[in-house]
Amino acid sequence: MDYLLETNSLTKQYGRHKAVNSVNLHVRQGDIYGLIGRNGAGKTTLLKMISGLASPTEGDFTLFGKRGKSAYRYLSRVGSLIEAPGVYPNLTAEDNLRLKSLAMGVRRKEEIEELLSVVGLLDTGKKKVKNFSLGMKQRLGIALALVGSPDLVVLDEPINGLDPQGIAEVRDTLFRLNREKHITLIISSHILEELSKIATHYGIIHDGVLIQELTREELLAKCSERIELKTDDARKACTVLDDMGIRRYKVIDQDTIHIFEHLDESGEITMALARHQVRTLGITVKNEALEDYYLNLTGGAAND
Ligand code: ATP
């Protein structure tokens, strides 16, 4: 499998503390990769390393197929918004973009208008950035990350502190960048519920360690509503479920089955099993919310 970005045991150590500990991250072209982790989990440090803003203590990364030192040559194809966007508050959005374009040697005049349009700031005219809402500032930060037409854009907590409307606007902008401009995105957040509305792939980071990578489908399957059935004979129980016309179930181990349909028929299922001499040891309807799933993995209460 070819990845647009792959990190190889990437590690960053501050003193004796490993802020990022041997992380192997896998991002394909076209992904919206959600990096989820609590405050202090190591998200910013990881994103800084893959944007070339911090150097790893150990490990390296492969970018556009080039590994190690060669990968650094491709960092010009990576745009990033990490921590607060560096903007000039007394200038307009257009002037801020013009300055960044100049600094990066981007000469195409139409690009600024295109960028303002893609982040929905075309009508801000002479308004100075200091008078922007937080959402507008954040969208300008995204536009600044897009100067030079990067293929990969890395955004650290782009929805942090935004109100629901601001969140929706940033989300729409990100969708458009991904669908229309085919930009691969890595977005960090400490709120899985928010990422779940946009990300196609997830990496869960905790205490500097990437504890799981999974696709959107895998995450939804883990969090979907289901009957958890414990029996003394899962194999025989499957035959009974088949006879009842139940098709969407999964055998977890020799005495556990997860059933994803007929959720209000646990009584009927128990009775049918009993008729076939299969004992029901436990039957419960579970609906693990996204946030619960994440908290179970990382052990403990959320922070914000
Ligand atoms: P947040 O959302 O709060 O920024 P995060 O997941 O982005 O959290 P990081 O900012 O990457 O986490 O920090 C990870 C750990 O590394 C934290 O324990 C932090 O205190 C530590 N850390 C980060 N930068 C430095 C630094 N320059 N020097 C020392 N320790 C640092």
Side-chain angles (χ1 to χ4, degrees):
M1 169 68 70
D2 282 344
Y3 296 103
L4 187 144
L5 170 74
E6 186 177 5
T7 69
N8 315 303
S9 303
L10 201 63
T11 301
K12 181 77 181 176
Q13 189 158 345
Y14 292 113
R16 298 172 74 181
H17 175 64
K18 285 187 176 168
V20 172
N21 191 352
S22 208
V23 164
N24 297 312
L25 191 87
H26 302 88
V27 182
R28 294 172 188 81
Q29 176 147 27
D31 283 356
I32 302 182
Y33 190 102
L35 182 66
I36 176 90
R38 298 198 227 170
N39 291 341
K43 305 179 296 294
T44 306
T45 308
L46 176 57
L47 298 186
K48 275 185 177 168
M49 286 193 282
I50 60 183
S51 311
L53 301 172
S55 49
T57 316
E58 279 170 58
D60 58 16
F61 55 86
T62 307
L63 189 61
F64 302 104
K66 303 287 175 201
R67 184 167 179 176
K69 285 206 176 100
S70 314
Y72 280 81
R73 270 191 267 136
Y74 288 81
L75 283 174
S76 57
R77 287 168 66 182
V78 180
S80 62
L81 171 60
I82 295 181
E83 293 168 339
V87 293
Y88 296 96
N90 284 315
L91 298 183
T92 63
E94 189 179 331
D95 287 341
N96 267 283
L97 284 166
R98 187 165 293 125
L99 277 179
K100 171 108 191 242
S101 301
L102 263 174
M104 290 187 62
V106 177
R107 288 176 208 284
R108 211 165 58 84
K109 284 210 177 101
E110 315 82 70
E111 182 168 288
I112 292 175
E113 202 169 305
E114 279 170 25
L115 289 176
L116 287 170
S117 165
V118 81
V119 299
L121 291 177
L122 204 49
D123 58 356
T124 53
K126 293 198 182 325
K127 193 173 193 157
K128 291 179 177 167
V129 171
K130 66 180 175 191
N131 298 321
F132 278 17
S133 69
L134 202 56
M136 289 163 80
K137 280 186 192 146
Q138 204 62 351
R139 281 182 284 140
L140 174 59
I142 295 171
L144 288 165
L146 292 171
V147 172
S149 311
D151 298 294
L152 169 66
V153 171
V154 172
L155 304 166
D156 190 21
E157 302 258 9
I159 52 175
N160 212 7
L162 299 184
D163 60 15
Q165 193 191 334
I167 291 176
E169 285 167 0
V170 167
R171 204 164 48 220
D172 280 356
T173 303
L174 298 179
F175 264 132
R176 247 176 308 124
L177 290 176
N178 181 253
R179 301 242 169 96
E180 295 169 17
K181 303 241 170 219
H182 310 291
I183 292 177
T184 305
L185 295 166
I186 303 179
I187 306 167
S188 77
S189 179
H190 60 279
I191 309 167
L192 180 55
E193 201 72 45
E194 262 317 316
L195 275 184
S196 71
K197 295 186 181 132
I198 181 165
T200 57
H201 293 76
Y202 299 87
I204 301 176
I205 186 167
H206 184 58
D207 283 343
V209 176
L210 190 70
I211 49 178
Q212 195 165 58
E213 281 191 306
L214 69 178
T215 64
R216 178 185 181 79
E217 289 69 33
E218 286 167 342
L219 180 70
L220 291 179
K222 282 184 194 294
C223 299
S224 61
E225 215 175 350
R226 61 178 181 249
I227 293 176
E228 286 190 10
L229 172 67
K230 290 230 174 255
T231 80
D232 61 349
D233 188 343
R235 258 212 308 186
K236 207 160 161 196
C238 288
T239 323
V240 177
L241 295 178
D242 290 341
D243 286 350
M244 289 180 76
I246 296 175
R247 299 279 172 266
R248 290 184 52 231
Y249 63 82
K250 190 171 176 192
V251 180
I252 304 300
D253 56 39
Q254 58 186 12
D255 53 22
T256 312
I257 302 175
H258 289 174
I259 303 165
F260 303 100
E261 58 184 347
H262 299 257
L263 297 178
D264 51 357
E265 291 178 19
S266 42
E268 284 81 346
I269 293 172
T270 314
M271 299 232 307
L273 290 170
R275 278 198 298 275
H276 290 83
Q277 281 82 47
V278 182
R279 282 179 63 196
T280 300
L281 306 175
I283 187 161
T284 44
V285 178
K286 283 251 172 100
N287 183 6
E288 191 173 25
L290 285 174
E291 220 58 41
D292 295 339
Y293 171 71
Y294 163 53
L295 288 177
N296 276 339
L297 267 181
T298 56
N303 53 15
D304 61 6

